[in-house]
Amino acid sequence: MYEPTQLRTFLAVAQTLSFTQAARRLGLRQSTVSQHVRRLEEATGRRLFTRDTHRVELTEDGEAMLGFARTILRAHERASAFFTGTRLRGRLRFGASEDFVLTRLPEILEAFRRDHPEVELELTVELSGTLHQQLEGGRLDLVLAKRRPGDTHGELVWQSTLTWIGAPSLRLDPDRPVPLIVFPPPGITRARALEVLEEAGRPWRIACTSGSLSGLIAAARAGLGVMPHTRGLIPPGLAPVPAKAGLPELGGVDFVLLHGRRRATAQDAADALAAAILAGGDRLHRPPVGS
């Protein structure tokens, strides 16, 4: 009833909330993307997206289709692998940014391990800047991380904006340096925060630095200062700093997949995990159930 090609297109649009970005990701014309979505909507008899000239949003039926689409595509891929006799093997070194510690990335990895039990998956969780360095040094095969400002390489998974967050009760004194809660160098959000504060002529001081996202969250919840963070990944107990605080805007951020040097023993596994992450990209800015 549902064509896998149309489901993949649907997931790409749902994750990017853009027909243009989905077309770029899939290497299709935008008219083809629109056609796939229209045919899927005809097959379901439901509207999956609301869209106008400015924005694209999932409907309630579109939200429901996310889970069905992933399940159908996984079953399709497992059946194809079974009947073609192809089983992935080898050692795959995967690096993920600290940003995804509190998201549903573990669910994606769990499904990948279940589908490909003979792949030895090694996970490294680090700062995006560190992961870029390790990838360039040949120590990782695939990385999911923030893209450095000015970079254009990498396969786009998700776009968001950076914002200042802190404890809801936090009040900043405009006459004192901004207390910052940041990752150590080479953290990409740290570098961006310092850059915009310097450009705005706003004094700052480091109130807390930690390589652990949990450590930064604890400091922020304690009211030690403000923290630059991805808007779509704000942890419970923290909130965006009100605009009246006068902090400069931090701008946008891209999360991308980057492949390392192609090792023959890891290439197919890296491609398969990249496909799984792209298919489940909407879960990367949703907290686990019950959190």
Short mmCIF file of all heavy atoms in Angstrom, two decimals, residues 92-100 105 109 121-148 151 153-158 188 254-262 266 269-271 273-275 277-278 284:
data_model
loop_
_atom_site.label_atom_id
_atom_site.label_comp_id
_atom_site.label_asym_id
_atom_site.label_seq_id
_atom_site.Cartn_x
_atom_site.Cartn_y
_atom_site.Cartn_z
N LEU A 92 32.80 -0.62 13.22
CA LEU A 92 32.35 0.73 12.85
C LEU A 92 32.59 1.67 14.02
O LEU A 92 32.04 1.48 15.10
CB LEU A 92 30.87 0.72 12.47
CG LEU A 92 30.22 2.08 12.19
CD1 LEU A 92 30.93 2.78 11.04
CD2 LEU A 92 28.74 1.91 11.88
N ARG A 93 33.41 2.69 13.79
CA ARG A 93 33.73 3.67 14.83
C ARG A 93 32.87 4.91 14.59
O ARG A 93 33.09 5.66 13.66
CB ARG A 93 35.22 4.01 14.78
CG ARG A 93 36.13 2.78 14.91
CD ARG A 93 37.57 3.11 14.56
NE ARG A 93 37.67 3.60 13.19
CZ ARG A 93 38.80 4.07 12.65
NH1 ARG A 93 39.91 4.09 13.36
NH2 ARG A 93 38.82 4.52 11.41
N PHE A 94 31.88 5.09 15.45
CA PHE A 94 30.90 6.16 15.30
C PHE A 94 31.05 7.19 16.41
O PHE A 94 31.15 6.85 17.59
CB PHE A 94 29.49 5.56 15.33
CG PHE A 94 28.37 6.57 15.36
CD1 PHE A 94 28.25 7.52 14.37
CD2 PHE A 94 27.44 6.57 16.40
CE1 PHE A 94 27.21 8.45 14.39
CE2 PHE A 94 26.41 7.48 16.44
CZ PHE A 94 26.30 8.43 15.43
N GLY A 95 31.08 8.46 16.03
CA GLY A 95 31.17 9.54 17.00
C GLY A 95 29.92 10.39 17.00
O GLY A 95 29.41 10.77 15.93
N ALA A 96 29.39 10.69 18.18
CA ALA A 96 28.18 11.52 18.31
C ALA A 96 28.46 12.68 19.25
O ALA A 96 29.14 12.52 20.27
CB ALA A 96 27.01 10.69 18.83
N SER A 97 27.93 13.82 18.91
CA SER A 97 28.10 15.02 19.73
C SER A 97 27.42 14.86 21.08
O SER A 97 26.40 14.18 21.22
CB SER A 97 27.52 16.23 18.99
OG SER A 97 27.39 17.33 19.84
N GLU A 98 27.98 15.52 22.09
CA GLU A 98 27.38 15.55 23.42
C GLU A 98 25.93 16.03 23.38
O GLU A 98 25.14 15.69 24.25
CB GLU A 98 28.18 16.50 24.33
CG GLU A 98 29.37 15.88 25.02
CD GLU A 98 28.98 15.20 26.33
OE1 GLU A 98 27.86 15.39 26.79
OE2 GLU A 98 29.82 14.46 26.88
N ASP A 99 25.59 16.83 22.37
CA ASP A 99 24.23 17.38 22.26
C ASP A 99 23.16 16.29 22.27
O ASP A 99 22.02 16.54 22.67
CB ASP A 99 24.09 18.19 20.97
CG ASP A 99 25.05 19.35 20.91
OD1 ASP A 99 26.22 19.12 20.55
OD2 ASP A 99 24.65 20.48 21.24
N PHE A 100 23.51 15.10 21.80
CA PHE A 100 22.50 14.05 21.62
C PHE A 100 22.40 13.09 22.79
O PHE A 100 21.68 12.09 22.72
CB PHE A 100 22.80 13.28 20.34
CG PHE A 100 22.71 14.13 19.11
CD1 PHE A 100 23.85 14.48 18.41
CD2 PHE A 100 21.49 14.62 18.67
CE1 PHE A 100 23.78 15.29 17.29
CE2 PHE A 100 21.40 15.43 17.56
CZ PHE A 100 22.55 15.77 16.86
N LEU A 105 18.65 9.21 20.31
CA LEU A 105 19.68 8.55 19.52
C LEU A 105 19.91 7.11 19.97
O LEU A 105 20.10 6.23 19.11
CB LEU A 105 20.98 9.35 19.57
CG LEU A 105 22.19 8.73 18.85
CD1 LEU A 105 21.91 8.58 17.35
CD2 LEU A 105 23.45 9.55 19.08
N LEU A 109 20.39 3.65 17.61
CA LEU A 109 21.54 2.75 17.69
C LEU A 109 21.11 1.34 18.09
O LEU A 109 21.66 0.35 17.59
CB LEU A 109 22.58 3.29 18.67
CG LEU A 109 23.19 4.65 18.31
CD1 LEU A 109 24.22 5.06 19.37
CD2 LEU A 109 23.82 4.62 16.93
N LEU A 121 30.01 -2.14 16.78
CA LEU A 121 29.80 -0.70 16.85
C LEU A 121 30.54 -0.12 18.05
O LEU A 121 30.29 -0.52 19.19
CB LEU A 121 28.31 -0.38 16.94
CG LEU A 121 27.92 1.10 17.01
CD1 LEU A 121 28.37 1.84 15.75
CD2 LEU A 121 26.42 1.25 17.21
N GLU A 122 31.44 0.83 17.80
CA GLU A 122 32.17 1.53 18.87
C GLU A 122 31.69 2.98 18.89
O GLU A 122 31.83 3.69 17.89
CB GLU A 122 33.67 1.47 18.62
CG GLU A 122 34.25 0.07 18.66
CD GLU A 122 35.75 0.05 18.43
OE1 GLU A 122 36.36 1.15 18.35
OE2 GLU A 122 36.32 -1.05 18.33
N LEU A 123 31.15 3.41 20.01
CA LEU A 123 30.58 4.75 20.13
C LEU A 123 31.52 5.67 20.90
O LEU A 123 31.99 5.33 21.98
CB LEU A 123 29.23 4.69 20.84
CG LEU A 123 28.55 6.01 21.19
CD1 LEU A 123 28.20 6.78 19.92
CD2 LEU A 123 27.32 5.78 22.04
N THR A 124 31.76 6.84 20.35
CA THR A 124 32.52 7.90 21.02
C THR A 124 31.61 9.11 21.17
O THR A 124 31.05 9.60 20.19
CB THR A 124 33.77 8.31 20.21
OG1 THR A 124 34.66 7.20 20.12
CG2 THR A 124 34.50 9.47 20.88
N VAL A 125 31.42 9.58 22.40
CA VAL A 125 30.63 10.79 22.66
C VAL A 125 31.59 11.89 23.06
O VAL A 125 32.32 11.76 24.04
CB VAL A 125 29.58 10.54 23.76
CG1 VAL A 125 28.80 11.83 24.05
CG2 VAL A 125 28.63 9.42 23.37
N GLU A 126 31.60 12.96 22.30
CA GLU A 126 32.56 14.04 22.52
C GLU A 126 31.98 15.37 22.05
O GLU A 126 30.87 15.43 21.51
CB GLU A 126 33.85 13.75 21.74
CG GLU A 126 34.96 13.12 22.57
CD GLU A 126 35.55 14.08 23.61
OE1 GLU A 126 35.08 15.25 23.69
OE2 GLU A 126 36.45 13.66 24.35
N LEU A 127 32.76 16.43 22.24
CA LEU A 127 32.40 17.73 21.69
C LEU A 127 32.49 17.67 20.17
O LEU A 127 33.31 16.94 19.61
CB LEU A 127 33.36 18.81 22.20
CG LEU A 127 33.52 18.95 23.71
CD1 LEU A 127 34.50 20.07 24.01
CD2 LEU A 127 32.18 19.23 24.36
N SER A 128 31.64 18.46 19.50
CA SER A 128 31.65 18.44 18.04
C SER A 128 33.03 18.77 17.49
O SER A 128 33.51 18.12 16.55
CB SER A 128 30.61 19.43 17.50
OG SER A 128 29.30 18.98 17.73
N GLY A 129 33.68 19.78 18.07
CA GLY A 129 35.00 20.16 17.58
C GLY A 129 36.00 19.03 17.71
O GLY A 129 36.83 18.80 16.82
N THR A 130 35.95 18.29 18.80
CA THR A 130 36.84 17.16 19.00
C THR A 130 36.55 16.04 18.01
O THR A 130 37.46 15.41 17.48
CB THR A 130 36.71 16.62 20.44
OG1 THR A 130 37.04 17.67 21.36
CG2 THR A 130 37.64 15.44 20.68
N LEU A 131 35.26 15.80 17.75
CA LEU A 131 34.89 14.77 16.79
C LEU A 131 35.40 15.10 15.39
O LEU A 131 35.85 14.21 14.65
CB LEU A 131 33.37 14.59 16.77
CG LEU A 131 32.75 14.02 18.04
CD1 LEU A 131 31.22 14.01 17.93
CD2 LEU A 131 33.26 12.61 18.32
N HIS A 132 35.33 16.38 15.01
CA HIS A 132 35.87 16.78 13.71
C HIS A 132 37.37 16.45 13.63
O HIS A 132 37.85 15.95 12.61
CB HIS A 132 35.65 18.28 13.49
CG HIS A 132 34.26 18.66 13.10
ND1 HIS A 132 33.80 18.55 11.80
CD2 HIS A 132 33.22 19.13 13.81
CE1 HIS A 132 32.55 18.95 11.74
NE2 HIS A 132 32.17 19.31 12.95
N GLN A 133 38.08 16.73 14.71
CA GLN A 133 39.52 16.46 14.74
C GLN A 133 39.80 14.96 14.63
O GLN A 133 40.70 14.53 13.89
CB GLN A 133 40.13 17.02 16.02
CG GLN A 133 40.10 18.54 16.11
CD GLN A 133 40.55 19.05 17.47
OE1 GLN A 133 40.76 18.28 18.41
NE2 GLN A 133 40.70 20.36 17.59
N GLN A 134 39.03 14.14 15.34
CA GLN A 134 39.24 12.70 15.31
C GLN A 134 38.89 12.11 13.94
O GLN A 134 39.54 11.18 13.47
CB GLN A 134 38.42 12.03 16.41
CG GLN A 134 38.90 12.38 17.82
CD GLN A 134 38.14 11.65 18.90
OE1 GLN A 134 37.22 10.87 18.62
NE2 GLN A 134 38.50 11.90 20.14
N LEU A 135 37.85 12.66 13.31
CA LEU A 135 37.48 12.20 11.98
C LEU A 135 38.60 12.51 10.98
O LEU A 135 38.99 11.65 10.18
CB LEU A 135 36.18 12.88 11.54
CG LEU A 135 35.54 12.36 10.25
CD1 LEU A 135 34.92 10.99 10.47
CD2 LEU A 135 34.49 13.33 9.74
N GLU A 136 39.11 13.74 11.06
CA GLU A 136 40.18 14.14 10.16
C GLU A 136 41.46 13.34 10.41
O GLU A 136 42.26 13.12 9.50
CB GLU A 136 40.45 15.64 10.31
CG GLU A 136 39.29 16.50 9.78
CD GLU A 136 39.30 17.92 10.32
OE1 GLU A 136 40.24 18.26 11.09
OE2 GLU A 136 38.38 18.69 10.00
N GLY A 137 41.64 12.88 11.66
CA GLY A 137 42.82 12.09 12.00
C GLY A 137 42.65 10.61 11.69
O GLY A 137 43.55 9.82 11.99
N GLY A 138 41.52 10.22 11.12
CA GLY A 138 41.30 8.83 10.74
C GLY A 138 40.93 7.93 11.89
O GLY A 138 41.00 6.70 11.76
N ARG A 139 40.48 8.50 13.03
CA ARG A 139 40.18 7.68 14.19
C ARG A 139 38.68 7.35 14.30
O ARG A 139 38.28 6.62 15.19
CB ARG A 139 40.66 8.38 15.47
CG ARG A 139 42.17 8.59 15.49
CD ARG A 139 42.66 9.01 16.86
NE ARG A 139 42.19 10.32 17.25
CZ ARG A 139 42.73 11.47 16.86
NH1 ARG A 139 43.77 11.47 16.05
NH2 ARG A 139 42.25 12.63 17.27
N LEU A 140 37.87 7.93 13.40
CA LEU A 140 36.43 7.64 13.37
C LEU A 140 36.01 7.41 11.92
O LEU A 140 36.63 7.94 10.99
CB LEU A 140 35.63 8.79 13.97
CG LEU A 140 35.78 9.04 15.48
CD1 LEU A 140 35.08 10.33 15.88
CD2 LEU A 140 35.26 7.86 16.29
N ASP A 141 34.94 6.63 11.75
CA ASP A 141 34.42 6.33 10.41
C ASP A 141 33.21 7.18 10.06
O ASP A 141 32.96 7.45 8.88
CB ASP A 141 34.03 4.86 10.32
CG ASP A 141 35.19 3.93 10.64
OD1 ASP A 141 36.23 4.05 9.98
OD2 ASP A 141 35.04 3.09 11.56
N LEU A 142 32.43 7.57 11.07
CA LEU A 142 31.20 8.33 10.85
C LEU A 142 30.96 9.21 12.06
O LEU A 142 31.15 8.78 13.20
CB LEU A 142 30.02 7.38 10.65
CG LEU A 142 28.65 8.00 10.37
CD1 LEU A 142 28.63 8.64 8.98
CD2 LEU A 142 27.54 6.97 10.49
N VAL A 143 30.56 10.44 11.80
CA VAL A 143 30.34 11.40 12.89
C VAL A 143 29.00 12.11 12.70
O VAL A 143 28.64 12.49 11.59
CB VAL A 143 31.49 12.44 12.93
CG1 VAL A 143 31.08 13.71 13.65
CG2 VAL A 143 32.73 11.84 13.58
N LEU A 144 28.28 12.27 13.81
CA LEU A 144 27.06 13.07 13.87
C LEU A 144 27.36 14.23 14.80
O LEU A 144 27.52 14.04 16.01
CB LEU A 144 25.90 12.24 14.39
CG LEU A 144 24.58 12.98 14.67
CD1 LEU A 144 24.02 13.59 13.39
CD2 LEU A 144 23.56 12.05 15.32
N ALA A 145 27.46 15.43 14.25
CA ALA A 145 27.91 16.56 15.06
C ALA A 145 27.46 17.88 14.45
O ALA A 145 26.91 17.92 13.34
CB ALA A 145 29.44 16.55 15.17
N LYS A 146 27.70 18.95 15.19
CA LYS A 146 27.44 20.28 14.66
C LYS A 146 28.47 20.60 13.58
O LYS A 146 29.63 20.22 13.68
CB LYS A 146 27.51 21.34 15.78
CG LYS A 146 26.35 21.26 16.75
CD LYS A 146 26.30 22.47 17.65
CE LYS A 146 27.40 22.44 18.70
NZ LYS A 146 27.18 21.41 19.73
N ARG A 147 28.02 21.33 12.57
CA ARG A 147 28.92 21.76 11.51
C ARG A 147 29.60 23.06 11.94
O ARG A 147 28.95 23.97 12.46
CB ARG A 147 28.14 21.97 10.21
CG ARG A 147 29.00 22.35 9.03
CD ARG A 147 28.36 21.98 7.71
NE ARG A 147 26.99 22.45 7.53
CZ ARG A 147 26.19 22.02 6.54
NH1 ARG A 147 26.62 21.12 5.67
NH2 ARG A 147 24.96 22.49 6.43
N ARG A 148 30.89 23.16 11.72
CA ARG A 148 31.62 24.37 12.10
C ARG A 148 31.20 25.54 11.22
O ARG A 148 30.90 25.35 10.04
CB ARG A 148 33.13 24.11 12.00
CG ARG A 148 33.64 23.16 13.05
CD ARG A 148 35.12 22.86 12.93
NE ARG A 148 35.43 22.06 11.76
CZ ARG A 148 36.55 21.35 11.63
NH1 ARG A 148 37.45 21.34 12.60
NH2 ARG A 148 36.79 20.65 10.53
N ASP A 151 31.60 25.97 7.26
CA ASP A 151 31.71 24.68 6.59
C ASP A 151 30.47 24.41 5.75
O ASP A 151 29.36 24.80 6.13
CB ASP A 151 31.88 23.55 7.61
CG ASP A 151 33.31 23.46 8.15
OD1 ASP A 151 34.15 24.26 7.69
OD2 ASP A 151 33.56 22.61 9.01
N HIS A 153 30.50 21.12 4.02
CA HIS A 153 30.50 19.68 3.78
C HIS A 153 29.67 18.97 4.85
O HIS A 153 29.35 19.53 5.89
CB HIS A 153 31.93 19.13 3.77
CG HIS A 153 32.66 19.29 5.05
ND1 HIS A 153 33.07 20.51 5.55
CD2 HIS A 153 33.06 18.37 5.97
CE1 HIS A 153 33.69 20.34 6.69
NE2 HIS A 153 33.69 19.05 6.98
N GLY A 154 29.33 17.74 4.56
CA GLY A 154 28.50 16.96 5.47
C GLY A 154 27.07 16.86 4.96
O GLY A 154 26.60 17.71 4.20
N GLU A 155 26.40 15.80 5.37
CA GLU A 155 25.01 15.56 4.97
C GLU A 155 24.08 16.10 6.05
O GLU A 155 24.12 15.64 7.19
CB GLU A 155 24.78 14.06 4.76
CG GLU A 155 23.47 13.71 4.11
CD GLU A 155 23.43 12.27 3.65
OE1 GLU A 155 24.29 11.47 4.09
OE2 GLU A 155 22.54 11.93 2.86
N LEU A 156 23.27 17.08 5.70
CA LEU A 156 22.43 17.75 6.69
C LEU A 156 21.40 16.79 7.27
O LEU A 156 20.66 16.13 6.54
CB LEU A 156 21.71 18.94 6.05
CG LEU A 156 20.80 19.75 6.97
CD1 LEU A 156 21.60 20.44 8.06
CD2 LEU A 156 20.00 20.77 6.18
N VAL A 157 21.36 16.72 8.60
CA VAL A 157 20.37 15.91 9.32
C VAL A 157 19.28 16.79 9.88
O VAL A 157 18.09 16.48 9.83
CB VAL A 157 21.04 15.10 10.45
CG1 VAL A 157 20.01 14.30 11.24
CG2 VAL A 157 22.11 14.17 9.89
N TRP A 158 19.70 17.94 10.42
CA TRP A 158 18.74 18.77 11.14
C TRP A 158 19.29 20.18 11.27
O TRP A 158 20.49 20.37 11.50
CB TRP A 158 18.49 18.15 12.53
CG TRP A 158 17.59 18.91 13.43
CD1 TRP A 158 16.42 19.51 13.13
CD2 TRP A 158 17.81 19.16 14.82
NE1 TRP A 158 15.88 20.10 14.23
CE2 TRP A 158 16.70 19.90 15.28
CE3 TRP A 158 18.81 18.80 15.71
CZ2 TRP A 158 16.59 20.31 16.61
CZ3 TRP A 158 18.71 19.20 17.03
CH2 TRP A 158 17.61 19.95 17.47
N ILE A 188 32.12 24.11 19.76
CA ILE A 188 31.62 25.02 18.73
C ILE A 188 30.66 26.05 19.32
O ILE A 188 30.71 27.24 18.97
CB ILE A 188 30.95 24.21 17.59
CG1 ILE A 188 32.03 23.45 16.81
CG2 ILE A 188 30.15 25.11 16.66
CD1 ILE A 188 31.49 22.53 15.75
N ASP A 254 23.79 23.83 12.25
CA ASP A 254 23.47 22.66 11.43
C ASP A 254 24.07 21.42 12.07
O ASP A 254 25.24 21.42 12.50
CB ASP A 254 24.07 22.80 10.02
CG ASP A 254 23.45 23.91 9.21
OD1 ASP A 254 22.35 24.36 9.58
OD2 ASP A 254 24.07 24.34 8.22
N PHE A 255 23.28 20.35 12.14
CA PHE A 255 23.79 19.05 12.56
C PHE A 255 23.93 18.19 11.32
O PHE A 255 22.98 18.05 10.54
CB PHE A 255 22.85 18.40 13.57
CG PHE A 255 22.85 19.08 14.91
CD1 PHE A 255 21.93 20.07 15.20
CD2 PHE A 255 23.79 18.75 15.87
CE1 PHE A 255 21.94 20.72 16.43
CE2 PHE A 255 23.81 19.39 17.10
CZ PHE A 255 22.89 20.37 17.38
N VAL A 256 25.11 17.61 11.13
CA VAL A 256 25.40 16.90 9.90
C VAL A 256 26.04 15.54 10.17
O VAL A 256 26.57 15.29 11.26
CB VAL A 256 26.34 17.72 8.98
CG1 VAL A 256 25.68 19.01 8.55
CG2 VAL A 256 27.67 17.99 9.67
N LEU A 257 25.97 14.68 9.18
CA LEU A 257 26.71 13.42 9.17
C LEU A 257 27.94 13.59 8.30
O LEU A 257 27.85 14.11 7.18
CB LEU A 257 25.85 12.29 8.61
CG LEU A 257 24.82 11.68 9.56
CD1 LEU A 257 23.85 10.81 8.78
CD2 LEU A 257 25.50 10.85 10.66
N LEU A 258 29.07 13.16 8.82
CA LEU A 258 30.33 13.26 8.09
C LEU A 258 31.00 11.90 8.04
O LEU A 258 31.14 11.24 9.08
CB LEU A 258 31.26 14.27 8.75
CG LEU A 258 30.72 15.71 8.82
CD1 LEU A 258 31.01 16.32 10.17
CD2 LEU A 258 31.34 16.55 7.73
N HIS A 259 31.42 11.48 6.86
CA HIS A 259 32.10 10.21 6.69
C HIS A 259 33.61 10.43 6.74
O HIS A 259 34.13 11.42 6.22
CB HIS A 259 31.74 9.56 5.36
CG HIS A 259 30.34 9.01 5.32
ND1 HIS A 259 30.06 7.69 5.59
CD2 HIS A 259 29.16 9.61 5.07
CE1 HIS A 259 28.75 7.49 5.48
NE2 HIS A 259 28.17 8.64 5.17
N GLY A 260 34.30 9.50 7.37
CA GLY A 260 35.75 9.56 7.42
C GLY A 260 36.36 8.89 6.20
O GLY A 260 35.69 8.63 5.20
N ARG A 261 37.64 8.61 6.31
CA ARG A 261 38.32 7.91 5.23
C ARG A 261 37.68 6.54 5.05
O ARG A 261 37.43 5.83 6.01
CB ARG A 261 39.81 7.74 5.57
CG ARG A 261 40.52 9.08 5.77
CD ARG A 261 41.89 8.87 6.36
NE ARG A 261 42.51 10.14 6.73
CZ ARG A 261 43.61 10.26 7.46
NH1 ARG A 261 44.20 9.17 7.92
NH2 ARG A 261 44.09 11.44 7.76
N ARG A 262 37.43 6.19 3.81
CA ARG A 262 36.68 4.97 3.52
C ARG A 262 37.51 3.72 3.78
O ARG A 262 38.38 3.36 2.99
CB ARG A 262 36.21 5.00 2.06
CG ARG A 262 35.17 6.09 1.77
CD ARG A 262 33.82 5.70 2.37
NE ARG A 262 32.78 6.65 2.01
CZ ARG A 262 31.50 6.46 2.23
NH1 ARG A 262 31.10 5.35 2.83
NH2 ARG A 262 30.61 7.36 1.88
N ALA A 266 34.50 -0.96 6.92
CA ALA A 266 33.51 -0.14 7.63
C ALA A 266 32.58 0.61 6.71
O ALA A 266 31.57 1.15 7.17
CB ALA A 266 34.24 0.87 8.54
N ALA A 269 28.83 -0.57 6.59
CA ALA A 269 28.20 -0.37 7.89
C ALA A 269 27.98 1.12 8.15
O ALA A 269 26.94 1.52 8.69
CB ALA A 269 29.06 -0.98 8.99
N ALA A 270 28.95 1.95 7.78
CA ALA A 270 28.81 3.41 7.96
C ALA A 270 27.65 3.94 7.12
O ALA A 270 26.87 4.78 7.58
CB ALA A 270 30.11 4.12 7.60
N ASP A 271 27.53 3.44 5.90
CA ASP A 271 26.43 3.88 5.03
C ASP A 271 25.08 3.47 5.63
O ASP A 271 24.11 4.23 5.58
CB ASP A 271 26.59 3.28 3.64
CG ASP A 271 27.75 3.89 2.85
OD1 ASP A 271 28.22 4.97 3.24
OD2 ASP A 271 28.17 3.28 1.86
N LEU A 273 24.36 2.87 8.86
CA LEU A 273 24.04 3.65 10.05
C LEU A 273 23.65 5.08 9.68
O LEU A 273 22.73 5.65 10.27
CB LEU A 273 25.23 3.66 11.02
CG LEU A 273 25.02 4.46 12.32
CD1 LEU A 273 23.77 3.99 13.06
CD2 LEU A 273 26.26 4.37 13.21
N ALA A 274 24.33 5.65 8.70
CA ALA A 274 23.97 6.99 8.24
C ALA A 274 22.53 7.01 7.73
O ALA A 274 21.76 7.93 8.05
CB ALA A 274 24.92 7.46 7.13
N ALA A 275 22.14 5.97 6.98
CA ALA A 275 20.76 5.90 6.48
C ALA A 275 19.77 5.78 7.63
O ALA A 275 18.69 6.38 7.60
CB ALA A 275 20.63 4.71 5.52
N ILE A 277 20.15 6.91 10.71
CA ILE A 277 20.08 8.20 11.40
C ILE A 277 19.24 9.19 10.60
O ILE A 277 18.41 9.93 11.16
CB ILE A 277 21.49 8.74 11.66
CG1 ILE A 277 22.19 7.88 12.72
CG2 ILE A 277 21.45 10.21 12.12
CD1 ILE A 277 23.66 8.19 12.89
N LEU A 278 19.42 9.22 9.29
CA LEU A 278 18.62 10.11 8.46
C LEU A 278 17.15 9.73 8.51
O LEU A 278 16.27 10.60 8.55
CB LEU A 278 19.13 10.08 7.01
CG LEU A 278 20.48 10.76 6.77
CD1 LEU A 278 20.98 10.45 5.37
CD2 LEU A 278 20.37 12.26 6.98
N LEU A 284 15.96 12.97 16.91
CA LEU A 284 17.15 13.57 17.51
C LEU A 284 16.86 14.88 18.22
O LEU A 284 17.73 15.42 18.90
CB LEU A 284 18.22 13.78 16.43
CG LEU A 284 18.74 12.49 15.79
CD1 LEU A 284 19.76 12.82 14.71
CD2 LEU A 284 19.33 11.55 16.83
#
